[in-house]
Amino acid sequence: MYSRRNWIKGALALVLLTAATGALAGNTGTEFQSLYTWLTGMVQGYFGKAAAIAAIGLGALFSLARLNPMPILSGVAFAVFLQYAPTISTGILTATI
């Protein structure tokens, strides 16, 4: 009984794996292009730079207060993430196989 179920599950898995097609990320349509441009400009523009500097500054203050280097390292990591996240997400979403 169980061997027949396992065989059916295996056959179904094999069919689903072989029937999968290549994934193509969507880069057509202009419905959200203005929102994307606004958000990218805000994150990589002066707002993003101000937020990065604030994160590093607050991390430095907390590091001095607690005598622990982790808050300033977290601020630096946040600043790096804020700068490179739009580029990475654009690269992932426009990738083709």
Side-chain angles (χ1 to χ4, degrees), residues 33-80:
Q33 186 173 3
S34 60
L35 176 65
Y36 171 77
T37 305
W38 178 71
L39 285 174
T40 303
M42 189 170 65
V43 169
Q44 290 182 335
Y46 288 113
F47 175 77
K49 291 176 185 177
I53 290 172
I56 293 172
L58 285 173
L61 289 175
F62 283 121
S63 289
L64 289 173
R66 298 177 68 193
L67 298 175
N68 188 356
M70 288 308 293
I72 193 167
L73 293 176
S74 299
V76 170
F78 175 75
V80 169

Side-chain angles (χ1 to χ4, degrees), residues 5 10 13-14 21 49 78 82:
R5 277 190 188 164
L14 183 65
T21 60
K49 291 176 185 177
F78 175 75
L82 192 64

